[in-house]
């Protein structure tokens, strides 16, 4: 298993990733927001994504976004090749993207919204806690990302205060990551696990 920070050369995988997002939403019958291919490429170019491979085959992906002048960071778009699920890959990607978030943005609260019990469990292991939506970023840009979700009407009807997703936040800003200097990005160089 190889997990590393994605870069511009990984743009070749964007169409596959977008297909995986669409298939996952359909299979689970839940509101997973669609991902714009150009947006994913920008995340790769900026070094704000983790990409995973098993035996040189694309295996998974997750990216980070910042809001409110880096006050909030979200780990978003976790996706794993359906043929490789149940192998701990999602957990490994989540841990690595969490590390990337904490080292690049040590003063930011990390948050997410999800309907996935597996993601909630991993977030809990990392130290996230469930919160109400008003404790999350209030950035219109973040909530606009929900507009392609089939449950968007519920979110807007409730004035972005609740939906079917669960909100979770990691706000322990005095953890071991905040003690590190920016050299910590080297932690994220390719390694076999």
């Amino acid at each position: 298993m190889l997990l590393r920070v994605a870069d511009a050369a990984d743009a070749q995988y964007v169409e596959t990733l977008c297909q995986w997002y669409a298939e996952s939403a359909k299979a689970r019958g839940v509101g997973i927001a669609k991902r714009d291919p150009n947006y994913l490429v920008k995340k790769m170019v900026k070094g704000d994504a983790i990409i995973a491979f098993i035996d040189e085959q694309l295996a998974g992906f997750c990216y980070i976004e910042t809001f409110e002048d880096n006050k909030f960071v979200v780990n978003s778009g976790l996706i794993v090749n359906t043929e490789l699920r149940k192998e701990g890959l999602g957990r490994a990607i989540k841990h690595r993207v969490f590390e990337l978030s904490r080292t690049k943005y040590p003063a930011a609260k990390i948050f997410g919204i999800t309907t996935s019990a597996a993601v909630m469990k991993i977030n809990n292991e990392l130290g996230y806690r469930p919160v109400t939506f008003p404790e999350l970023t209030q950035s219109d840009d973040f909530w606009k990302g929900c507009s392609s979700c089939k449950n968007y009407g519920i979110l807007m009807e409730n004035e972005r205060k609740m939906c079917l997703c669960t909100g979770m936040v990691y706000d322990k800003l005095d953890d071991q990551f905040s003690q590190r200097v920016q050299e910590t990005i080297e932690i994220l160089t390719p390694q076999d696990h």
Side-chain angles (χ1 to χ4, degrees):
M1 180 184 316
L2 171 68
L3 292 102
R4 63 171 171 77
V5 176
D7 59 33
D10 295 315
Q12 64 181 312
Y13 302 111
V14 167
E15 291 302 324
T16 300
L17 292 169
C18 288
Q19 182 181 343
W20 288 357
Y21 288 124
E23 290 168 359
S24 180
K26 186 176 179 183
R28 290 175 48 208
V30 294
I32 297 174
K34 291 178 184 165
R35 300 313 198 277
D36 178 291
N38 294 322
Y39 186 74
L40 296 183
V41 170
K42 287 178 187 175
K43 290 294 159 189
M44 292 171 173
V45 169
K46 190 176 177 188
D48 277 349
I50 296 294
I51 195 162
F53 297 89
I54 293 180
D55 298 327
E56 299 183 24
Q57 176 187 1
L58 179 63
F61 184 77
C62 190
Y63 61 89
I64 60 179
E65 299 177 86
T66 61
F67 298 97
E68 298 180 36
D69 294 322
N70 299 338
K71 182 179 172 186
F72 289 93
V73 173
V74 66
N75 299 159
S76 192
L78 175 65
I79 193 78
V80 173
N81 181 332
T82 54
E83 297 170 12
L84 303 172
R85 290 190 179 158
K86 306 287 185 202
E87 301 297 324
L89 185 57
R91 174 175 275 103
I93 295 169
K94 268 300 261 184
H95 280 259
R96 195 55 76 94
V97 80
F98 176 82
E99 232 177 276
L100 178 63
S101 299
R102 290 298 297 132
T103 55
K104 281 189 85 168
Y105 306 100
K109 294 178 182 178
I110 303 174
F111 76 99
I113 61 172
T114 186
T115 56
S116 167
V119 170
M120 284 184 245
K121 182 178 178 185
I122 295 166
N123 284 351
N124 186 58
E125 291 169 5
L126 288 167
Y128 287 66
R129 61 184 175 82
V131 296
T132 59
F133 281 15
E135 293 178 65
L136 306 175
T137 185
Q138 295 308 301
S139 168
D140 290 336
D141 286 338
F142 172 75
W143 296 103
K144 186 174 26 175
C146 295
S147 64
S148 64
C149 174
K150 73 176 189 176
N151 299 316
Y152 187 65
I154 296 168
L155 176 70
M156 297 313 290
E157 181 181 305
N158 289 297
E159 299 173 344
R160 297 192 324 206
K161 291 185 175 118
M162 69 172 123
C163 194
L164 300 183
C165 282
T166 298
M168 299 185 82
V169 168
Y170 179 92
D171 56 3
K172 298 172 188 150
L173 303 184
D174 61 347
D175 64 7
Q176 77 267 19
F177 295 104
S178 65
Q179 311 305 316
R180 297 181 185 174
V181 203
Q182 268 314 91
E183 54 81 24
T184 54
I185 294 302
E186 291 188 20
I187 292 172
L188 301 171
T189 57
Q191 304 171 8
D192 286 330
H193 287 278

